[in-house]
């Protein structure tokens, strides 16, 4: 089902709380938010001028699949922020606005956000590979000698947090000890342990579907009433993770991917890495969209249209 590419929603009837590279967050009630995922795409911390077909819907419905179908079976103690994919009738929205928001919106509970990205890496690639080649470390932590590019870490996945930069800024890789200083001793271990548990569960599930989750990043919030750490934001999507086709995996080289690595490679090849004001060609848009849709279908076992059909109108 072809839909328009939505790069901005711009609701005027609800208070705008925040706007990120991809999402717009609105006040829905005293204790909930309307989190809308656009079709915008960023690479190397720069937002591209044009978007990717169906991207916002893929990210939203895939997040829902992880939170409500997969993770409860494997990490039963996990608490998350998602309330519903259906927009309350009480919200002051036109039928046209509701049609745009359908499938790309989540009603989520409000929590105080921990100001770090909880990154878990199962394989040495990207910035971790670059650091390792120079220093033999990953996020400042020494690693065994002789590792190959894209090799699985010998001791299993590692927790490699980063700072959470504002829009337009760049996240900074930090050590777990630095993250502990930011979030405090009371919550540091809980965040790390949850991030590792979620990654391991997701890695095992995805591998059965023919996808390697090479690395991913999570965000967590604090339920100040119960003092519980809560998983928030998007989860295990092609935007927040590296997805590799398992059948093509060979360590020692770059991997094929289902995520936006294709876009990163195009930008680098065209000399556009990190530059503002860049628009994708139609071919790059289409191929990026196809990769996102294939990842969705493999991981959920259904097409995007089938997943959308389950939502209330």
């Amino acid at each position: 089902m072809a839909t328009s590419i939505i790069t901005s929603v711009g609701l005027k009837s609800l208070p705008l709380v925040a706007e990120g590279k991809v999402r717009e967050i609105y006040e829905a009630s005293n204790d909930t938010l309307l989190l809308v995922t656009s079709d915008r795409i960023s690479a190397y911390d720069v937002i591209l001028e044009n978007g990717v077909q169906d991207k916002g819907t893929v990210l939203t419905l895939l997040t829902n699949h992880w939170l409500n179908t997969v993770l409860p079976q494997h990490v039963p103690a996990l608490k998350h922020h998602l309330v519903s994919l259906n927009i309350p009738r009480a919200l002051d929205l036109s039928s046209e606005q509701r049609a745009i928001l359908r499938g790309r919106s989540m009603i989520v509970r409000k929590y105080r956000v921990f100001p770090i990205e909880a990154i878990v890496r199962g394989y040495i690639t990207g910035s971790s590979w670059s650091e390792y080649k120079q220093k033999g470390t990953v996020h400042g932590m020494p690693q065994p000698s002789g590792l190959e590019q894209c090799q699985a870490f010998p001791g299993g996945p590692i927790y490699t947090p980063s700072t959470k930069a504002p829009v337009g800024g760049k996240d900074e890789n930090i050590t777990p000890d630095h993250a502990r200083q930011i979030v405090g001793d009371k919550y540091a271990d809980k965040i790390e342990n949850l991030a590792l548990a979620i990654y391991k569960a997701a890695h095992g599930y995805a591998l059965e579907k023919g996808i390697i989750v090479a690395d991913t990043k999570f965000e967590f919030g604090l339920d100040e009433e119960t003092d519980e750490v809560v998983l928030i934001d998007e989860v295990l999507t092609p935007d927040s993770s590296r997805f590799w086709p398992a059948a093509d995996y060979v360590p020692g080289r770059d991997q094929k991917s289902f995520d936006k690595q294709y876009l990163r490679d195009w930008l680098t090849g065209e000399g556009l890495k990190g530059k503002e004001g860049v628009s994708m060609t139609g071919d790059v848009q289409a191929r990026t969209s196809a990769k996102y849709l294939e990842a969705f279908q493999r991981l959920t076992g259904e097409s995007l249209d089938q997943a959308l059909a389950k939502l209330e109108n």
Side-chain angles (χ1 to χ4, degrees):
M1 178 178 66
T3 57
S4 300
I5 296 177
I6 306 297
T7 56
S8 179
V9 178
L11 299 178
K12 302 300 183 186
S13 57
L14 298 176
L16 179 67
V17 175
E19 184 171 6
K21 293 173 185 171
V22 174
R23 286 169 184 78
E24 298 170 25
I25 303 174
Y26 297 89
E27 188 94 11
S29 71
N30 288 337
D31 56 0
T32 62
L33 301 167
L34 174 66
L35 194 156
V36 184
T37 307
S38 74
D39 295 325
R40 297 192 296 270
I41 191 166
S42 67
Y44 301 118
D45 293 307
V46 176
I47 302 170
L48 279 293
E49 290 292 291
N50 48 357
V52 171
Q53 184 86 40
D54 294 321
K55 177 175 170 285
T57 311
V58 166
L59 300 191
T60 301
L61 298 185
L62 185 54
T63 292
N64 177 64
H65 179 72
W66 287 113
L67 291 180
N68 285 319
T69 302
V70 180
L71 294 178
Q73 303 174 41
H74 301 282
V75 193
L78 179 67
K79 184 173 180 177
H80 62 75
H81 70 156
L82 178 56
V83 177
S84 177
L85 296 183
N86 295 309
I87 303 167
R89 298 186 185 279
L91 292 186
D92 181 19
L93 299 169
S94 68
S95 57
E96 291 80 7
Q97 289 171 326
R98 288 177 180 273
I100 290 171
L101 296 176
R102 184 171 179 266
R104 65 174 66 248
S105 303
M106 302 189 294
I107 296 294
V108 301
R109 295 180 186 88
K110 294 179 185 177
Y111 294 111
R112 180 163 68 83
V113 180
F114 289 107
I116 62 168
E117 301 275 8
I119 301 168
V120 179
R121 301 179 189 272
Y123 300 74
I124 188 164
T125 186
S127 64
S128 66
W129 173 243
S130 299
E131 179 186 336
Y132 176 77
K133 286 191 296 181
Q134 293 178 0
K135 304 175 182 177
T137 60
V138 171
H139 285 238
M141 297 180 289
Q143 300 299 317
S145 61
L147 297 184
E148 293 184 281
Q149 182 182 12
C150 297
Q151 177 184 340
F153 285 101
I158 61 174
Y159 176 63
T160 57
S162 77
T163 58
K164 184 173 170 55
V167 176
K170 187 172 178 59
D171 298 340
E172 176 190 350
N173 290 346
I174 57 177
T175 64
D177 284 344
H178 189 177
R180 180 179 295 276
Q181 293 171 15
I182 294 172
V183 303
D185 288 336
K186 187 175 183 180
Y187 304 110
D189 290 337
K190 184 68 172 177
I191 291 170
E192 178 174 349
N193 292 338
L194 276 175
L196 287 166
I198 298 166
Y199 172 84
K200 290 174 183 176
H203 182 273
Y205 172 86
L207 200 56
E208 294 178 355
K209 310 292 185 181
I211 290 178
I212 293 172
V213 181
D215 56 39
T216 193
K217 62 181 179 180
F218 303 111
E219 291 192 45
F220 291 95
L222 177 66
D223 184 332
E224 295 180 290
E225 291 186 2
T226 64
D227 204 35
E228 293 176 286
V229 174
V230 182
L231 182 61
I232 63 172
D233 201 56
E234 68 176 306
V235 178
L236 293 156
T237 71
D239 261 24
S240 65
S241 317
R242 281 187 174 87
F243 289 161
W244 298 337
D248 297 323
Y249 171 67
V250 179
R253 60 164 174 80
D254 285 327
Q255 307 299 314
K256 296 180 181 179
S257 74
F258 292 114
D259 51 57
K260 56 185 177 182
Q261 189 59 45
Y262 172 76
L263 171 59
R264 294 189 192 103
D265 292 343
W266 175 77
L267 289 167
T268 301
E270 295 294 316
L272 300 172
K273 177 180 177 179
K275 292 188 176 180
E276 300 281 351
V278 174
S279 293
M280 292 171 280
T281 64
D283 179 61
V284 172
Q285 281 180 295
R287 292 190 65 180
T288 302
S289 178
K291 287 175 179 292
Y292 276 58
L293 288 167
E294 184 177 353
F296 180 87
Q297 185 147 1
R298 285 201 188 197
L299 290 169
T300 66
E302 58 187 9
S303 70
L304 196 62
D305 285 351
Q306 288 172 322
L308 280 168
K310 294 179 180 179
L311 299 179
E312 296 177 10
N313 289 318

